[in-house]
Amino acid sequence: MILHTTEVKYLDEYKLWLTFNNGESGQVDLRHELWGEVFEPLKDLTQFATAYQHPVMKTVCWANGADLAAECLLELLHEQNQQAA
């Protein structure tokens, strides 16, 4: 099975609620992932809030063309859940 997101919802600040096709879901904070030419503009919360589920790529995308792989997002979800525990 190829991993992908099935739901992307902007929460607040740099947080998204993600649901994956493997049944996992949760909140991911991307504040520390926004570096590099494509992601720097997303430090503007207005830009970050444009996050959406891309209908073809089936992952998080933003209005400026940035996107993150579902595998990366799921790994971040796991890491952040472990840190919170």
Side-chain angles (χ1 to χ4, degrees):
M1 169 175 63
I2 297 174
L3 184 69
H4 62 267
T5 58
T6 59
E7 178 186 16
V8 173
K9 185 167 54 171
Y10 172 71
L11 297 175
D12 65 359
E13 295 185 350
Y14 301 102
K15 298 173 188 148
L16 300 175
W17 181 268
L18 304 174
T19 304
F20 297 87
N21 65 323
N22 67 354
E24 295 187 60
S25 62
Q27 177 182 291
V28 177
D29 187 340
L30 296 174
R31 101 179 46 243
H32 300 296
E33 308 305 315
L34 303 178
W35 49 272
E37 186 176 336
V38 176
F39 296 103
E40 288 283 334
L42 299 177
K43 289 182 178 180
D44 174 344
L45 286 175
T46 303
Q47 289 295 315
F48 188 84
T50 68
Y52 67 98
Q53 167 77 20
H54 193 280
V56 176
M57 296 191 318
K58 296 186 179 182
T59 193
V60 178
C61 291
W62 286 269
N64 74 339
D67 65 82
L68 283 170
E71 294 83 3
C72 173
L73 293 165
L74 185 59
E75 183 176 322
L76 284 170
L77 176 65
H78 289 165
E79 287 173 9
Q80 291 174 10
N81 284 343
Q82 285 179 341
Q83 290 172 1

